Amino acid sequence: MTTGAGGNVVSGGTQGTVVQAGHIENLVVHQAPPPADEVTVAPPFGRRGTPLRGRGDLLDLLLGATGTHVLYGLGGAGKTSLALEAADRLTRDGAPVWWVAAQDAGRLAGGLRVVARRLGLREDELAAGQTADLLWERLAALPGRWLLVLDNADDLALLDGPGSLAAGTGWVRAPAGAGGLVLVTTRDGDPAAWGTGPVLHRLGALPGPDGARVLADRATPEAGSASDAERLAVRLGGLPLALDSAGRYLASVAERPAFLRTPGEPATYAAYLDALGTGDVTVDGDGTLARIWAMSLHLLRDRGHVHAETLLRLLAGFADAPVPLRVFAPERVDIPPGELWTCLQALDRLGLASLRTDGEPVVTLHPLVRDAYRGERERLSAASALTLGVPEDHGRMWPALVPHLLDGLGPGTPPEVWEAAVLAVRSLATRGLVLEAAEAGRAVRDGAVADLTERHPVARQARLEEGRALLGLSRGRDAFAVLDALVEDCTDALGDRDPYTLTVRHERAVARRLTGDFEGALAENTEVLMARIFVLRPNHELTLVTHHNLAMDLAGLGRIEQALAEMAVVLAAETRTRGPWHQDTLVTRESRACLLRELGELDEAGAELRTVFEAWQRLLGPEHPFTLATRFNLATVLPPDRALPELTAVLEARTRVLGADHPVTLATREVLEHTARTLPE
């Protein structure tokens, strides 16, 4: 097996050429969890500060409740603060309280094992593989009041543990005891994922008066009146984290003598509000909110909402008012209606937007999310902003934008603008426009390297995207040269176990496969897989992508049955952790179908390819490059007389979408002509 034009995996065999949609990795650097013997379950009371505002009724409800309660909402909404207040109240009442950090598997499992030990479980019982069952049996038997908090549980797959969160057999369950309370803080309030046991509480925006009190708790009285504070609180979307940041900013200005203040520096609520409007001040000085948006987008991608960021960028272009949903009619927006609706619901659950369906259906973007996307647009030319995600006509608009991609870029360009250009190159590639991505990628790489130095993180990413684009064009030797040099630089600068180094090695393994070096690709992917299991975790998305590619290497060596066995492991893990309709899961299902086809299991392969094809149609539309690639694969398992009209339809669509001279279009034409020659005269 090799990789063909368009970033697709190509397998040669008795049934012809197979084009398989490939993986695109998202780089996420994870902090390693502390060793198990250093896990603490003590509540972090030192993080409590000013009084809790606007959550008193919910706090009273929780203090009188039992069972499992989920506090969900946008990052910075005060979920942890509310849980801390409940922990403080119960601690002062003499109840045992345990606080488990749930942001990764190591902290979660380690913390719950500490709780289990404190409840009397022996080490041999913990080693028996039934920790979750035994822990919840002990908790249910506890007399009196107690509290268990699982904080920052954003990856719900981790809560499945040995069973299923939704089924009540995972790490989080509804306690059977009369006095137990479990609080979970999370961004993800999807009812289907939580099941029927937990009670879900959304933490939304603080009302204006409560938001004003948060500002007043941090700022000095000289900052202004309560009405001015309330207007600022509304402008900040009632987000406690943003209110805290603004209040502290005003307090820091007030404590300085007037002659040490910058001219025009806002010192009052009204001045701060005006400065937000002109862009002279940002509420996100340390980048905390940007990280919150990034984590929320990552969660949306994990849930299969591939159009989430495009939709956010669209909403950011509207005025600060509710947007009627009718403006997103299918003829206006290149997002399938079903995916548009589920995506809007997901944005609402995460607090990035507010969806109202009583009367005229409208959606309102959180004002700080709007600020973030508008700020990004202001750094770019109009053409570059479009290239970063505004819906487009794949066949006409995107190639026309490529010549404008580099407008305004050159010596002295700020790193963030080079970074935006790099993201634009990736956007071209993910839409199947790899020829355009390769051309733009080479220019961006040359410019960024010259302007920022070769080892600057943005220049490094530009080199990676150029290598990926070359892989998409099946130019294996060229891609290997770019990626091999990048691996050497990353290993020297970052170390051989750094997640970024592992990502570049992962791509270099694909280049090895393209050049026919299947043994070398298998060896490299094996090393990367072992390292990712150690650095990340066995079921992390990047680990599974490498495991997937290892299976394809085995297939390239003719070890099809072994490849199928490995692919089955990947598919089971992706289905369990990401769901059957996530993009990566669909890619793996398609790869498995192609392997079945190599073994002559055409009926089973065809049924699976049909399912994947229908899923791509729902998620991406009928003419997305991934959809067309799967339709092409489906044609290859059909008899020639039935395959011919399918291949003809694919060729016509690819000609419209990619152009007649695109490498993928030319490859499709070649297969169609070969199939036509096999038909009887």
Side-chain angles (χ1 to χ4, degrees), residues 30-41 99-114 117 534-536:
H30 290 258
Q31 181 182 357
D37 59 354
E38 294 182 9
V39 171
T40 178
V41 294
W99 190 283
V100 175
Q103 60 263 53
D104 59 59
R107 289 181 177 91
L108 174 64
L112 290 174
R113 287 190 175 93
V114 170
R117 292 186 186 96
F534 178 80
V535 174
L536 303 172

Side-chain angles (χ1 to χ4, degrees), residues 70 118 130 136 139 168 179 191 194 206 220 336-337 441 479 488 522 590 622:
V70 177
R118 295 191 181 182
Q130 298 179 336
W136 286 98
L139 288 171
W194 285 100
L206 289 177
T220 64
E488 183 177 345
L522 179 61
E590 187 165 358

